[in-house]
Amino acid sequence: MTPQQRRARSRRPAVVAAAVAVAAALASGPGFAADVGVARVAGPPAPTPSIPVTAGPGTPAGPAPATPPADTPAPTASPSVTPAPSRTPAATGAPAPAPTARSGPAFGAYLDYGPLGVARMALLSGWLGGAELRVGHTYLPGDRWSNIEGRPGFLDAWAHWRAEKDDRMLVLNVPMLERNEEGVPDAEVRRLLRQGAAGRFDHHFRALAERLVEANVPDTVIVLGWEMNGITYTHRCGPDPQAWKTYWKRIVTTMRAVPGQEFRFDFTPSRGRDAVPWTECYPGDDTVDIIGMDSYDQPSGLSFDEQVTEPYGLQEHVDFARSHGKPISYPEWGLFRNGDNPEYMRRMLAWMDEHEPLYNTVTDYCPHGVWQCSKNPEASEVYRAVLSGRTGGPATGPTATVPAAPATSGPSTAPTAEPAPRPTADCSPLDLGDWAEYWMGGKLCVRLNRWLRGS
């Protein structure tokens, strides 16, 4: 599964300028002026702009394609990537904040492709009582090769975020073929995989590796050809597993040959057998650094215990990685077919505390998410209670234990940090246009009933 793309809208520079002026008059900071009946609410991520800029594409709104709209023009020039600042922290003279007592595996969330995703990392951290989100996760669009190469400016915001702290991790999903979500038939997939295995597409991945090194993120975790055991993507394994494995090896070898690279390659199937057993697609220990798994709460009616014990499920993932001497990861996970399921949330968090993946990133949009999706309040409360105040370091002792389900309902024991406001029944979001919302970090919401009451 990957995030959905919103349809690109037409350019509206005059409207945007007016909207920004209105927004500036209505709001003076992150909280906005409540006395004039305006509240800030979390809006969906910005769409792909209609001109090449540094903002990333797309809006996550459900399990749908990660491909930008077909009418999005490719960049007409290839300027060099703006390098991120050095990852050595600058001395500020300010005392470092006292560490919290709780710790656990490094975690983060998928919040948006581009700059909005970066900005929302801090907001999610605040909602989690200052928890340290060490992992940033984004995707390269798979519509065409120029985007798989990492178009100029696309990853700049993430590179700067990564550079701010030495212990941060950038996770990047990289498609193996263009037209990655266009329903390409098996015969064509087989032909493309064999071409890849013969080296036809090496230059695209060399270009991506050079761009990442130039952007000062040479240690990016590359989730290459994810969910290859399914039928969704053109980069699927099923039509020719042997060619797929050879092609994977070629890509990894090509990217590792770029001077300065420190990439780690994450082999990440979806949980369960899917179209083919994912073990048949494993390319070998020499070109795999991490063995991941995308694991959503599905299909309907499947309990967490069954997700653990099913063929090619959570337990087999852990056992397989251990037998190959590799760390595990969960690049995508979250709620799905079983709705607002606090038991799944509690058990999945406990599973990760027990097995200590290198990292995990929850897919935080409806129907999977907990912060940007108001449809899952019970699971959201569990996620917040368990992860609030986490430092992201190694799990140690009883502090990493997930609390049992409460016997009775009552006030939350989570820290009192307020979540980013969400739309309410008495609040009407204003459509100020994509770019105004992008620069403000979300939509403006006007409480019209307060004006009508004269408050």
Side-chain angles (χ1 to χ4, degrees):
M1 281 181 235
T2 51
Q4 183 181 12
Q5 290 290 120
R6 274 172 51 184
R7 177 176 56 84
R9 299 182 182 178
S10 60
R11 303 177 195 178
R12 295 175 293 177
V15 174
V16 169
V20 171
V22 172
L26 290 175
S28 58
F32 287 85
D35 58 339
V36 296
V38 180
R40 190 176 190 173
V41 297
T48 303
S50 56
I51 55 175
V53 293
T54 58
T59 281
T67 304
D71 59 350
T72 304
T76 57
S78 299
S80 60
V81 175
T82 303
S86 168
R87 288 194 296 271
T88 304
T92 62
T100 61
R102 308 181 68 200
S103 62
F107 73 99
Y110 173 77
L111 300 168
D112 180 59
Y113 279 92
L116 274 180
V118 177
R120 285 172 176 159
M121 295 282 283
L123 296 175
L124 179 57
S125 175
W127 183 70
L128 291 172
E132 184 179 1
L133 275 62
R134 287 179 47 210
V135 189
H137 188 186
T138 190
Y139 296 73
L140 290 177
D143 57 336
R144 55 193 172 196
W145 283 116
S146 60
N147 283 325
I148 295 174
E149 291 177 359
R151 69 185 182 193
F154 181 81
L155 293 170
D156 285 358
W158 288 109
H160 281 271
W161 174 86
R162 166 64 186 93
E164 287 175 354
K165 289 189 177 181
D166 284 345
D167 63 351
R168 284 180 173 173
M169 184 185 307
L170 176 59
V171 175
L172 179 64
N173 278 48
V174 176
M176 294 170 68
L177 291 167
E178 66 176 350
R179 297 184 293 147
N180 199 36
E181 297 179 37
E182 296 184 14
V184 177
D186 281 356
E188 176 70 2
V189 169
R190 189 177 301 111
R191 184 181 71 85
L192 291 169
L193 291 176
R194 291 174 180 176
Q195 289 179 347
R200 177 176 177 182
F201 308 126
D202 288 1
H203 61 288
H204 298 300
F205 296 96
R206 186 179 303 110
L208 172 62
E210 290 171 349
R211 187 156 283 158
L212 290 169
V213 170
E214 186 179 358
N216 199 30
V217 281
D219 57 354
T220 298
V221 173
I222 306 292
V223 185
L224 181 64
W226 69 100
E227 298 182 14
M228 77 299 293
N229 55 325
I231 61 172
T232 301
Y233 302 112
T234 304
H235 66 217
R236 60 190 181 271
C237 165
D240 193 334
Q242 188 56 51
W244 191 94
K245 290 186 284 189
T246 302
Y247 183 29
W248 167 289
K249 288 173 176 287
R250 259 206 108 89
I251 294 171
V252 173
T253 301
T254 296
M255 295 186 71
R256 283 179 175 170
V258 171
Q261 68 80 33
E262 304 169 25
F263 304 126
R264 286 177 287 180
F265 291 88
D266 192 331
F267 171 83
T268 298
S270 55
R271 196 197 72 242
R273 187 184 189 279
D274 214 327
V276 295
W278 50 261
T279 52
E280 293 183 7
C281 307
Y282 186 69
D285 292 346
D286 57 333
T287 55
V288 172
D289 300 296
I290 306 161
I291 299 177
M293 179 163 280
D294 287 353
S295 184
Y296 291 91
D297 186 21
Q298 64 170 343
S300 297
L302 193 72
S303 70
F304 187 81
D305 286 332
E306 291 170 313
Q307 294 177 30
V308 171
T309 60
E310 69 176 325
Y312 309 103
L314 290 172
Q315 187 62 58
E316 188 159 346
H317 168 229
V318 169
D319 293 343
F320 185 87
R322 183 182 297 117
S323 69
H324 288 264
K326 306 293 183 182
I328 62 171
S329 70
Y330 298 98
E332 292 184 32
W333 69 278
L335 305 159
F336 197 18
R337 302 292 185 187
N338 297 300
D340 184 14
N341 188 350
E343 178 65 11
Y344 164 83
M345 183 60 61
R346 186 177 296 108
R347 296 286 301 278
M348 189 64 183
L349 289 168
W351 177 266
M352 290 188 288
D353 271 352
E354 177 185 357
H355 294 285
E356 297 185 339
L358 181 66
Y359 70 91
N360 79 81
T361 47
V362 67
T363 302
D364 192 55
Y365 56 82
C366 286
H368 314 301
V370 289
W371 179 59
Q372 296 190 103
C373 182
S374 60
K375 296 180 180 179
N376 301 315
E378 294 185 23
S380 176
E381 183 177 355
V382 171
Y383 183 89
R384 191 181 186 196
V386 171
L387 294 180
S388 285
R390 286 282 182 104
T391 63
T396 54
T399 57
T401 302
V402 179
T408 59
S409 60
S412 170
T413 57
T416 58
E418 291 299 319
R422 294 169 172 157
T424 61
D426 66 341
C427 187
S428 300
L430 298 178
D431 184 3
L432 300 179
D434 297 327
W435 281 106
E437 291 166 11
Y438 163 72
W439 287 112
M440 293 184 293
K443 290 182 180 292
L444 285 180
C445 186
V446 180
R447 296 192 179 115
L448 298 176
N449 61 338
R450 292 182 59 189
W451 287 354
L452 294 174
R453 292 196 307 264
S455 57

